[in-house]
Amino acid sequence: MPNSKVTDAETSRKFEMPKPAMVIETTVRPNVDIKLLSAQKNFGAGGRARKINEIFDDSLQSDVIWQPDVYNEAAELARSTGIRRVIDVGCGSGLKLHAVFSGTEVELVGVDFARSLNAARRCLIGARLIECDLCDWRALSRLEQDLGDSEPVIVIAADVIEHLPDPLPMLACIRNIIARNPASRLVLSTPDRHRLNYADPDGMPRNLSHVREWTLAELNTLVTSLGFGVVRAGHTRANQREQNPSTSFLVCRFDQAQLEHGLKVLGIQSSMAVRHLLLTTEYAGLGPSGGIGTFVAGQHRRDRDSTVLLISDNELAKRMNGVIRPQDILSVEECQRRLPSDLALAVVQRLLLLLPALETVEFQDYCGIGFRICQAKRAGILPVGIRTVVHCHGNVHYLENASQHWLEIADPAQTQREKLSVELADVVVFPSQFLRALYGRMGFQIQGIDGIRPYVHGGDRSAPSTYGPIENIIFVGKRSRMKGFDLFMELFNERFCQTLHRRGVTKITLVGPSDNFASGTDVDRIKSLFEFRELRDLNHKQLTEFIKSNAANSLVLEPYRADNFPLAVYDVVMNGGFLLAADAGGIPEIFPSNRWKECLLPLKVESAREKVLSALALSSEDRGDIVSQLAGSHDDNEAQYGTYRNWPSPKESVQEVNKVAVVVPFFNTAIPYLEDLFYALNEQSRAPDEVLIVDDASDPDVSKDM
């Protein structure tokens, strides 16, 4: 396309591009420190930062031309490389962009805040101008998609980052744009505070529109930690009237090795290959874990393009490749005194900078650890392209329903966090129709896409070569009411025990933690009549080995009440065990085979006894056939694995920026505080749509002063 032309004659007459001056080059070495990539660490800047800065006005106020050499260097780079597209991020009036590329065939793209583009709209034609909030992930995601081809580009960001409260979204967007072609380059500049003759070189920036200022060394650490490779570095003058080279100048390329340097210690070999982040509070094999930890570990093994973020209060007994802890990414100060949900958001924001190919952030609903991430996505704090996926395993209210009593919750807000994590997620995954219907009865208003995706086993299948007479009855699960341990114990009255003896049952085995089950579950009578074993502390591997070794001559009972989709069912069947499981909750949905109905146990004592005796009467061949068919039908569940990732994205309507209203309660408030407030409101890059001041006028003296 033809390059832009100046149409405002008066502005054109005043503007004259200074002659080029040399960049004073220096050598810098990569210095990766991903823990500096946060506001708490001031984004690597060693000086002070202001909380509120003035919006910079780029209109031509005098004949001072800022950063002329940065634009001259960009023009020379385009000429020497033959690159025909230049994107000026923070272009302002666009006059410098036009001046250095006038008469060329270079396509010009100007990007800036709406207010900063006013002059460019008056002065330029032919250039493509894009309005973008340079601190907003949502706006920058759209910019990245808008400029989403692999054509080589030169991106200019001349004295922009010092104006931004958070420069990381803009820098990440630029990095992702230039990563599409190895010839693409970033031309970056910002004032070096150690060259500005400040009385305190690490004090507040003198320019009220600057939030913070970096030295060249600090700037080098910032960009290399984000995956930029520095091609050239040095200093240049700030404007044509100053000879002191006080501006840091960098030419950067995308360097994947730099990006991955800080991740290799975590076992992530390729940051571009990680597409799914699995957020969890437990992981099988790493500290205490239950069904959620088993599910996440299995998903991680199957999804080679995933990595895990484990947020747990327990110190890990060992490390595992691809499993990240918050302290691996954040500083000690950032990890302290934060709720797990807030900590999760902070880590995800950091990982978004380090994992450019990331598509989904997936998390459990239990504990509500993902609700801040969902809120951030809806508020535009996270990129549009990131999909939030909640796996519903069961919340606190589900546990209360299954255990049939109210739980004492240390943090009552947990239930609200759990609800929000489900209602605000882009995709909601239920393993069973039972749980989906239960959440509906709880009043959940799901806004995203929801669907059923049964759990899969994820392990090897095994079975004994032949099944013999049943000698052992095994209970697998916690000794809790939810897991039906009370029902299991009630089975063994004197008459039932005598019948079991006549049928050849000589052993009773309890597998699972005690869970402080209430008194009244005296097992002395059972111990006197049967060979009795208790296995309280088996890990998952030991559990499966125990089932395999006892499958040929055992009957396993899992009388779980209103359970969602217990993985313990798979642990038994897929390792060859013959099982009776409760005809309740989501358990009837687990296997599509018709023979599964023969394995469902009524939750009334007399009926349950009859079902156990019927199972003991089955022939060895029949038991083997049932186990084989159930294991085979598991493949139908496994075939559904991953289908939720192919669902369409949420409606664009939920992605739109909402209107902003600010309510200011005024009750005997000192006027200087209001002045600070209105100054801050006027300096927002996104101005509020409405400001409501509520004054009760209760103090005549304060009203008089107004």
Side-chain angles (χ1 to χ4, degrees):
M1 64 179 289
N3 68 292
S4 59
K5 297 180 181 179
V6 177
T7 60
D8 188 310
E10 182 64 19
T11 302
S12 178
R13 183 181 64 79
K14 291 181 180 180
F15 186 82
E16 183 177 349
M17 194 70 173
K19 293 181 179 180
M22 291 182 60
V23 173
I24 309 302
E25 295 196 39
T26 188
T27 301
V28 295
R29 291 184 174 86
N31 183 31
V32 176
D33 188 348
I34 60 177
K35 293 190 177 182
L36 292 179
L37 301 178
S38 70
Q40 287 81 357
K41 291 297 182 180
N42 205 22
F43 305 107
R48 295 179 62 196
R50 55 173 40 92
K51 295 181 179 179
I52 300 173
N53 64 312
E54 294 181 353
I55 297 294
F56 180 68
D57 186 357
D58 196 36
S59 61
L60 194 62
Q61 302 295 334
S62 69
D63 59 353
V64 175
I65 310 300
W66 296 96
Q67 306 312 326
D69 302 321
V70 176
Y71 283 85
N72 287 323
E73 290 288 340
E76 175 58 26
L77 182 62
R79 187 198 63 77
S80 63
T81 59
I83 292 176
R84 297 169 64 91
R85 176 188 280 185
V86 173
I87 304 170
D88 190 359
V89 178
C91 65
S93 67
L95 290 171
K96 290 171 284 189
L97 185 67
H98 168 265
V100 298
F101 290 103
S102 178
T104 70
E105 295 299 319
V106 174
E107 175 189 351
L108 302 181
V109 181
V111 180
D112 214 326
F113 294 97
R115 287 167 57 180
S116 299
L117 281 179
N118 290 336
R121 291 192 179 96
R122 292 193 303 268
C123 298
L124 300 176
I125 59 172
R128 184 180 179 189
L129 301 179
I130 302 175
E131 178 184 328
C132 181
D133 183 338
L134 301 180
C135 290
D136 184 84
W137 274 111
R138 184 170 358 204
L140 288 162
S141 296
R142 289 172 178 159
L143 175 68
E144 188 180 326
Q145 295 171 6
D146 207 17
L147 302 173
D149 55 46
S150 59
E151 179 183 350
V153 297
I154 293 173
V155 179
I156 303 172
D159 281 26
V160 178
I161 64 171
E162 67 271 16
H163 298 279
L164 305 179
D166 183 352
L168 298 183
M170 183 197 74
L171 289 173
C173 174
I174 293 173
R175 180 201 60 201
N176 295 347
I177 290 173
I178 70 171
R180 295 168 181 152
N181 191 300
S184 294
R185 294 291 183 268
L186 164 65
V187 179
L188 176 69
S189 70
T190 191
D192 187 329
R193 70 176 186 282
H194 281 187
R195 289 175 168 250
L196 296 176
N197 299 318
Y198 289 165
D200 179 3
D202 293 328
M204 196 74 72
R206 184 182 302 157
N207 190 325
L208 296 179
S209 70
H210 291 185
V211 179
R212 64 183 63 81
E213 294 166 343
W214 293 260
T215 65
L216 178 60
E218 292 165 351
L219 182 65
N220 174 63
T221 300
L222 175 66
V223 298
T224 55
S225 298
L226 283 169
F228 291 99
V230 176
V231 179
R232 287 179 66 204
H235 290 93
T236 185
R237 59 184 176 171
N239 58 65
Q240 83 277 26
R241 292 185 176 181
E242 295 185 7
Q243 298 307 312
N244 172 39
S246 62
T247 293
S248 297
F249 172 85
L250 296 178
V251 176
C252 305
R253 61 182 176 86
F254 172 63
D255 188 334
Q256 186 170 341
Q258 288 292 109
L259 185 62
E260 294 169 354
H261 178 79
L263 295 175
K264 287 184 179 178
V265 295
L266 307 175
I268 300 176
Q269 299 302 317
S270 174
S271 61
M272 302 299 288
V274 177
R275 298 172 57 206
H276 310 291
L277 177 66
L278 312 179
L279 170 60
T280 183
T281 57
E282 56 187 72
Y283 189 98
L286 298 179
S289 174
I292 293 175
T294 301
F295 171 82
V296 174
Q299 186 178 5
H300 187 208
R301 285 193 301 270
R302 291 188 297 271
D303 290 357
R304 299 301 178 89
D305 54 358
S306 70
T307 195
V308 173
L309 171 57
L310 175 59
I311 297 182
S312 173
D313 293 332
N314 300 294
E315 286 294 326
L316 301 186
K318 60 180 179 178
R319 293 298 314 281
M320 182 178 292
N321 282 347
V323 178
I324 301 170
R325 303 168 303 171
Q327 57 266 40
D328 298 325
I329 299 292
L330 304 179
S331 64
V332 174
E333 300 89 334
E334 291 176 283
C335 292
Q336 292 175 339
R337 296 184 300 277
R338 273 183 162 169
L339 287 173
S341 52
D342 294 325
L343 191 59
L345 175 59
V347 178
V348 166
Q349 287 177 304
R350 188 72 50 83
L351 288 174
L352 284 171
L353 303 169
L354 305 173
L355 303 172
L358 197 64
E359 296 176 2
T360 65
V361 179
E362 307 181 28
F363 43 85
Q364 67 200 49
D365 63 332
Y366 183 60
C367 297
I369 58 172
F371 95 101
R372 285 290 189 213
I373 296 169
C374 294
Q375 287 181 323
K377 170 69 183 298
R378 294 297 177 100
I381 298 174
L382 300 182
V384 175
I386 292 296
R387 178 179 290 178
T388 56
V389 179
V390 60
H391 293 273
C392 294
H393 304 291
N395 57 19
V396 168
H397 296 319
Y398 151 78
L399 294 175
E400 290 173 333
N401 177 69
S403 59
Q404 298 180 348
H405 69 87
W406 300 112
L407 301 179
E408 294 183 7
I409 306 171
D411 181 8
Q414 175 179 330
T415 58
Q416 297 304 313
R417 292 194 291 269
E418 292 173 339
K419 190 170 188 286
L420 287 171
S421 70
V422 175
E423 292 188 335
L424 298 181
D426 295 330
V427 177
V428 184
V429 183
F430 293 99
S432 67
Q433 294 284 359
F434 158 76
L435 193 65
R436 185 186 198 179
L438 181 64
Y439 278 30
R441 293 195 298 274
M442 290 178 188
F444 279 51
Q445 301 294 321
I446 296 173
Q447 300 179 35
I449 301 165
D450 70 290
I452 305 297
R453 176 185 164 274
Y455 294 147
V456 295
H457 179 241
D460 296 329
R461 184 193 305 177
S462 67
S465 55
T466 58
Y467 286 84
I470 294 176
E471 302 172 356
N472 191 4
I473 294 181
I474 303 171
F475 174 87
V476 174
K478 291 181 181 179
R479 299 183 196 179
S480 66
R481 183 171 179 80
M482 176 178 173
K483 298 301 182 180
F485 184 66
D486 58 322
L487 175 65
F488 178 82
M489 295 301 296
E490 286 183 46
L491 294 176
F492 296 95
N493 61 15
E494 183 177 352
R495 182 178 178 183
F496 186 65
C497 290
Q498 292 173 353
T499 305
L500 292 179
H501 270 294
R502 289 197 299 271
R503 298 289 184 91
V505 176
T506 60
K507 303 175 184 177
I508 303 294
T509 306
L510 306 182
V511 179
S514 63
D515 203 31
N516 298 319
F517 196 75
S519 59
T521 59
D522 188 3
V523 296
D524 289 342
R525 177 167 36 83
I526 297 178
K527 289 181 179 180
S528 66
L529 296 174
F530 298 93
E531 182 182 333
F532 184 78
R533 294 180 67 192
E534 293 183 88
L535 304 173
R536 297 174 182 266
D537 300 314
L538 299 185
N539 60 34
H540 188 258
K541 182 178 180 181
Q542 292 169 332
L543 170 65
T544 56
E545 289 300 322
F546 171 79
I547 293 170
K548 288 179 185 178
S549 61
N550 289 274
N553 62 355
S554 297
L555 170 65
V556 180
L557 267 60
E558 294 182 355
Y560 302 168
R561 287 187 174 91
D563 213 324
N564 170 30
F565 202 110
L567 289 171
V569 171
Y570 283 152
D571 289 332
V572 174
V573 172
M574 302 305 287
N575 287 287
F578 182 61
L579 170 74
L580 293 183
D583 188 5
I587 292 176
E589 305 174 40
I590 292 181
F591 294 104
S593 169
N594 286 330
R595 299 217 71 174
W596 180 228
K597 297 177 182 179
E598 301 177 47
C599 302
L600 297 179
L601 184 73
L603 291 183
K604 292 185 178 181
V605 176
E606 285 300 327
S607 300
R609 289 180 184 135
E610 292 177 8
K611 189 70 176 182
V612 170
L613 296 178
S614 297
L616 295 176
L618 291 173
S619 67
S620 300
E621 293 76 13
D622 210 13
R623 283 164 40 220
D625 182 64
I626 290 175
V627 173
S628 176
Q629 288 198 35
L630 295 183
S633 73
H634 165 267
D635 295 340
D636 295 332
N637 289 346
E638 192 164 12
Q640 298 182 51
Y641 174 75
T643 54
Y644 67 92
R645 288 188 179 144
N646 299 322
W647 291 344
S649 296
K651 294 180 180 178
E652 184 65 20
S653 60
V654 302
Q655 308 283 355
E656 295 300 323
V657 176
N658 295 324
K659 289 187 176 182
V660 176
V662 177
V663 179
V664 183
F666 182 80
F667 179 71
N668 298 344
T669 305
I671 296 301
Y673 291 117
L674 286 181
E675 291 173 346
D676 288 347
L677 171 63
F678 287 118
Y679 172 81
L681 290 175
N682 287 331
E683 293 301 316
Q684 299 294 308
S685 60
R686 165 76 163 89
D689 298 282
E690 189 176 21
V691 178
L692 304 175
I693 304 173
V694 182
D695 178 10
D696 72 346
S698 61
D699 190 328
D701 293 332
V702 174
S703 300
K704 186 188 304 181
D705 291 339
M706 293 182 65

